[in-house]
Structures are given as C-alpha cells and as structure tokens.
C-alpha cells in the first residue's frame, strides 16, 4: 500500500494548479484537515457532555503533550522512511482510532477514559504526521512550483477551517458525538487512497539550496549544501598508499567515490562520509560535511536516513545531526529564529487577546467573529495570490517586509475606534501574515537539503505548535494586569523582532525561490 511511486525530477515543469499529482495531494491533505476540524469539535462536545469543564479541558490538552515532546523524533522518522509513507500510515492510524471510539460510543455511554486515550493517540500520531506532511510538497512538485503549492496548501487550510466547523456542528446536532466521530474518521479515510495515488519525484543529489557554515579541515571537503551537485577538487582522484573510499549519503542514497591520496585534495561525496584508510581518525568539516578517516579494517557503513551512521543508525544521532545542520545553515538558522519570534508575537493577540479586546470594547461575539472573518479573508487572499502567481521575486525581502508590516498592524489593532476599522486592520494582518508565512514555508522547502527536510519541518512545527501556544496564557494574564493596548504593542515588538532578524541575516534577506 505504501510502495513509493516516483517520477523523474527533470520532467516537464507543469504548473501546480494543473498538475493532477499535486491536485490529488491537495485533495487528500484538505480531506484530512477537514476531518481534523470535525474530530476536535466532536471531542470537545463529548468531553463537555461527559465530565466537568475542567475535566473537558484536560481531555482537550492531552494531545498537546505528546505532540510537543515527540515532534523532533517525528522529523527523524519522516526522513528515515519517507514523508509519503509516514503520512499514509499516520492517517490510517488516526482513522482507525477515531472510528473505534465512534463505535464504542454507539454501543455504550460516553466516558472520559476513551476520549482521553483517543486524544493521546491522536497527539502521538500528530507528532509524526506534521513533520511528514510538511516535508511532502517538495516531493510532489518541482522546486519552481513550491511557492504556488504553498499558496494552494494555504487555501486548503482556510477551506478546511471554514467548512470543518459547520460540518462538525451539523454532525453533532444530527447524531451526537458518535456520528461526528464517524464523519471525521470517514473524511480522514478519504485522504488515504488519494495519497496512495500520489507519485513522488526523484530528488537529485544536492537538490536543497542554501549554505552551511563549517570549519575548514582535512577530511571530506566540498561545496556548500545548495551547490549545483558535487564539487570535486583537482586532486579528488589520486592514487595513494591506501585504497581509500568514501561512503556518503546524499538525499537518502549512498554514493561511493575514490578520494584523495596522501596529502592530496578531496571531493564532495555526500553530507557526511566515513573514509576507510590508513592511520588513526581525523574529522574535517567544510560546507557542513564531516568525514572520519578510519583505521584499516574498520567496517565502513553508509549513512541512512539523512545522517544516521552505521547499519540502521541511531535515531538520537539522526536528530543531533539534523539540529546541527539547521544551526550551521546560513539561511535556515535565522529563518527558524524569525519564525519563532513571529509566532510568539502573533498567537497571543490573535487568539485570547482578540476575545478580551472584543469584550473590553463591547463588540460582542458578532464583532469578534467579524474581525476573525477579516483575518481569514486576508490570509485566504494571500494564499490565492501565491497560488495564481506561482513565484514571488525577491522572496526574502518580501517575507521580511511583510513580517514587519504585519507586526505594525498587530500593534494598531488594539487602538482602532470601532468594529469596521478593526475588520480592516485584521484583513491587513491576515494578508501580510499569510504572505510571510507561505514564503517562510516555501523557503524552508527550497533551502533545506531533501535528506533533512523532515527534521527541518519538525523544528518549525515544534516552534509554531509547541512553543507559540504558551504565549496565550501569558497574554491573558498580562492583559488582566496592564490592559490590551500595552500587551498588543509588546506582542507587535516581539513579532517585529522576527522581521529584524531576517532583515539582518544577509543570506536570508537575499534568498530567492527557484524559477
């Protein structure tokens, strides 16, 4: 069922919105997201009907713990086994768990324990699903279409959020929580055959763009991680005292090349390599690659899973290598920091802060809903713009200025005089935040080496879904102490710092999306 279908990476660059392969992926992804929305409505309704409000809150929060704790490990799994396979298996497990609880509720009365177990399973699987689903777009389309795909993905998310809520509420009203769980499970199940039919592109070696900083040494030397394939020095092939060979990994595949004699130069043979030769061990780095020269007779094993050493590798070692790769990357490192600051400054005001602002100004629930609708329309417009246009020139600069403009708009939201003005500001926030968020996602996809894409996505997801929500209770407490104005301004400053970080990072500021 999970056998990988592949197509050549150099096939005709079909526009994503006309590519049946991309449309099947988008259909499966959207169906899964709608199923998620219906699932959360069913879970919250069943928990409220079964226990006290505090117990219902515990049930809803159960899934967040394993998702945050296991997210980085999920990135390792996505890189080891492939994002498509992981997404298919994850959706299958989530579908089975939801339908099992639906059947239990049909047969017996609702209880908190089945709901808590379901939330725990869902959160655990999400820790694997989210990095894999974030790494998948780079495998279903060409690099030149990734910005358009990110826009299409944003439209799918907006559609799921708009449609999922009413569908979940209707299912609960018609048949209760059991019917809503059944409907959610069927929607998730719909995504599985669509994802099975998706073909993956073969990613050539060194497909990821960007650069990794490293200290120059005497091991395996080569070009940066985003160069045009392998760079081989003048003395890369030279007879020496030992028949030294490198076993390296590039984009999940091991390659062997004869390298360097005594005192000679070297070539690039993968992200990391183990060199079997004479005399001790030495480790050299240049452009992020690491080489170890082993004693004669030492077993040399290829890397697997984008950074694991030895047969089967160690998951912890995979994770450490991935984090080191991000830290040394001249584009990904500042981009991760910019994403973290932007989300920390954005989540609080646009969630709990907006509710408290509407209550303070007397806008009521309808006014708050109108402001949220304005934000949704702006974010949807940004996604539609990217989906239609396909490529944004000077993507790094556009992302920086969209982030800075969005920060100013967040601070202004607390000082607008009425609902209509707040809706206009929220629309601007959605437009700028949607544009900067989609460009961040596209830059992550194109700058990261494919062998590390699952771990890169896991770190970004952990920042957005694990750390950023912690700002919500802090924002609520701060608003209670100092009011909405100062807290919105402080949040805008934090969000703006993300733009400042990106502005000061030369390689990120000048980053371009591929044509």
């Amino acid at each position: 069922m999970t056998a990988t279908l592949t197509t050549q990476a150099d096939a005709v660059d079909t526009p994503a919105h006309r590519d049946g392969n991309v449309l099947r992926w988008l259909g499966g992804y959207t169906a899964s997201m709608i199923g998620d929305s219906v699932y959360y409505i069913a879970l919250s309704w069943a928990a409220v009907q079964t226990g006290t409000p505090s117990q219902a809150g515990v049930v809803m929060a159960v899934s967040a713990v394993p998702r945050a704790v296991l997210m980085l490990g999920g990135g390792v799994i996505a890189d080891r086994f492939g994002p498509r396979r992981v997404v298919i298996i994850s959706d299958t497990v989530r579908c089975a768990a939801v339908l099992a609880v639906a059947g239990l509720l049909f047969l017996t009365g609702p209880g908190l324990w089945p709901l808590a177990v379901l939330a725990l399973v869902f959160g655990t699987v999400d820790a694997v699903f989210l990095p894999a689903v974030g790494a998948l777009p780079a495998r279903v389309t060409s690099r030149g279409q990734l910005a358009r795909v990110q826009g299409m993905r944003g439209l799918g998310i907006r559609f799921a959020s708009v449609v999922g809520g009413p569908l979940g509420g209707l299912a609960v009203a018609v048949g209760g929580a059991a019917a809503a769980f059944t409907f959610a499970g069927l929607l998730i199940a719909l995504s599985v055959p669509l994802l099975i039919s998706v073909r993956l592109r073969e990613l050539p070696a060194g497909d990821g763009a960007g650069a990794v900083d490293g200290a120059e040494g005497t091991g395996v030397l080569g070009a940066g991680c985003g160069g045009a394939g392998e760079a081989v020095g003048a003395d890369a092939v030279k007879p020496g005292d030992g028949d030294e060979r490198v076993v390296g990994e590039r984009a999940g595949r091991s390659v062997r090349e004869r390298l360097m004699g005594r005192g000679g130069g070297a070539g690039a043979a993968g992200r990391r390599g183990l060199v079997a030769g004479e005399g001790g061990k030495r480790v050299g780095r240049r452009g992020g690659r690491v080489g170890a020269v082993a004693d004669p007779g030492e077993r040399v094993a290829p890397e697997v899973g984008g950074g694991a050493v030895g047969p089967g590798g160690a998951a912890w070692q995979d994770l450490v290598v991935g984090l080191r790769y991000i830290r040394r990357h001249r584009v990904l490192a500042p981009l991760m920091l910019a994403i973290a600051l932007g989300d920390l400054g954005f989540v609080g005001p646009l969630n709990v802060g907006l509710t408290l602002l509407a209550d303070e100004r007397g806008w009521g629930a309808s006014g708050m809903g109108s402001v949220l609708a304005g934000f949704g329309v702006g974010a949807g417009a940004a996604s539609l713009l990217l989906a239609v246009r396909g490529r944004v020139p000077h993507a790094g600069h556009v992302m920086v200025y969209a982030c800075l403009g969005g920060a100013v708009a967040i601070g202004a939201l607390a000082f607008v005089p009425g609902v209509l003005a707040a809706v206009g500001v929220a629309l601007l926030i959605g437009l700028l935040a949607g544009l900067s968020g989609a460009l961040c996602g596209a830059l992550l996809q194109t700058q990261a080496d494919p062998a590390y894409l699952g771990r890169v996505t896991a770190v970004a997801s952990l920042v957005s879904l694990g750390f950023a929500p912690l700002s919500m209770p802090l924002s609520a407490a701060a608003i209670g102490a100092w009011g909405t104005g100062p807290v919105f301004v402080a949040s805008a400053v934090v969000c703006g710092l993300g733009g400042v970080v990106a502005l000061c990072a030369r390689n990120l500021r000048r980053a371009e999306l591929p044509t």
Side-chain angles (χ1 to χ4, degrees):
M1 181 183 69
T2 59
T4 301
L5 303 175
T6 60
T7 184
Q8 293 297 323
D10 56 355
V12 177
D13 192 10
T14 305
H17 61 285
R18 299 178 184 174
D19 189 341
N21 195 50
V22 174
L23 294 177
R24 287 191 297 272
W25 162 79
L26 182 63
Y29 178 75
T30 304
S32 182
M33 291 299 100
I34 296 175
D36 280 1
S37 297
V38 176
Y39 155 77
Y40 281 111
I41 290 175
L43 182 66
S44 61
W45 179 265
V48 169
Q49 295 297 309
T50 303
T52 64
S54 60
Q55 291 173 330
V58 171
V59 170
M60 295 299 295
V62 163
S63 61
V65 176
R67 184 168 57 230
V69 172
L70 303 176
M71 185 77 74
L72 296 180
V76 173
I77 293 174
D79 282 338
R80 282 197 169 200
F81 300 102
R84 174 177 170 273
R85 177 179 300 174
V86 172
V87 168
I88 291 172
I89 295 175
S90 299
D91 266 350
T92 302
V93 173
R94 298 195 310 163
C95 172
V98 172
L99 291 179
V101 171
L104 185 63
L105 294 181
F106 272 122
L107 296 175
T108 64
L112 285 177
W113 281 110
L115 300 177
V117 171
L118 175 61
L120 184 65
V121 171
F122 220 83
T124 302
V125 177
D126 266 355
V128 181
F129 172 81
L130 291 173
V133 80
L136 197 54
R139 301 300 304 273
V140 301
T141 189
S142 65
R143 295 176 68 238
Q145 292 294 316
L146 276 173
R148 177 172 277 133
V149 167
Q150 290 296 325
M152 295 168 66
R153 182 184 178 187
L155 288 175
I157 292 173
R158 295 299 160 196
F159 179 78
S161 64
V162 170
V163 172
L167 287 179
L170 179 62
V172 169
V174 171
F181 278 127
T182 302
F183 186 42
L186 293 177
L187 285 169
I188 297 173
L190 178 62
S191 70
V192 175
L194 290 172
L195 292 172
I196 290 175
S197 66
V198 170
R199 302 185 311 274
L200 298 189
R201 286 176 173 261
E202 292 181 0
L203 294 173
D207 190 42
V212 180
D213 289 325
E216 185 171 340
T218 58
V220 178
L221 309 181
C225 72
E230 296 184 354
V232 181
D235 298 323
V237 181
K238 179 181 290 188
D241 294 337
D243 186 17
E244 299 177 348
R245 294 181 183 274
V246 170
V247 183
E249 176 276 339
R250 187 185 287 275
R253 295 175 295 178
S254 59
V255 293
R256 291 179 178 263
E257 291 185 358
R258 183 182 302 271
L259 289 182
M260 58 184 277
R262 185 168 51 195
R271 297 303 163 202
R272 303 180 67 223
L274 296 179
V275 183
E278 291 185 359
K281 294 186 177 180
R282 65 181 180 268
V283 177
R285 296 187 184 92
R286 182 177 177 181
R289 295 184 173 90
V290 181
V293 179
D295 293 324
E298 181 178 348
R299 182 178 182 183
V300 181
E303 284 191 321
V304 293
V309 179
W316 176 252
Q317 195 170 26
D318 270 11
L319 178 57
V320 171
V321 170
L323 294 176
R324 186 182 297 124
Y325 168 78
I326 296 172
R327 179 173 60 84
R328 292 176 176 171
H329 202 288
R330 294 198 294 265
V331 174
L332 294 180
L335 182 57
M336 288 295 183
L337 181 57
I339 291 173
L341 291 170
D343 284 344
L344 284 173
F346 177 84
V347 170
L350 267 295
N351 286 274
V352 64
L354 182 58
T355 303
L356 296 175
L357 179 65
D359 181 67
E360 179 184 286
R361 299 294 180 85
W363 295 343
S366 61
M368 184 184 69
S370 299
V371 175
L372 286 174
F375 170 79
V377 170
S383 297
L384 182 61
L385 173 66
L386 283 176
V388 172
R389 185 174 178 82
R391 183 177 180 270
V392 177
H394 312 294
H397 282 95
V398 174
M399 184 269 292
V400 167
Y401 297 125
C403 183
L404 292 173
V408 174
I410 288 174
L413 184 61
F415 301 97
V416 294
V419 174
L420 289 179
V423 170
V425 174
L427 190 148
L428 180 62
I429 294 172
L431 181 64
L432 295 174
L435 182 59
S436 63
L439 290 177
C440 283
L443 289 172
L444 282 177
Q445 296 278 330
T446 54
Q447 294 291 326
D449 188 289
Y452 296 89
L453 194 50
R455 282 162 285 183
V456 170
T457 307
V459 173
S461 299
L462 179 62
V463 166
S464 299
L465 301 176
F467 297 152
L470 297 177
S471 64
M472 288 192 288
L474 295 178
S475 297
I479 289 174
W482 298 297
T484 54
V487 174
F488 270 71
V489 170
S491 298
V493 170
V494 174
C495 190
L497 285 177
V500 171
V501 167
L503 185 64
C504 294
R506 178 175 177 270
N507 291 281
L508 175 56
R509 185 179 69 248
R510 297 185 176 183
E512 292 280 2
L513 294 175
T515 57

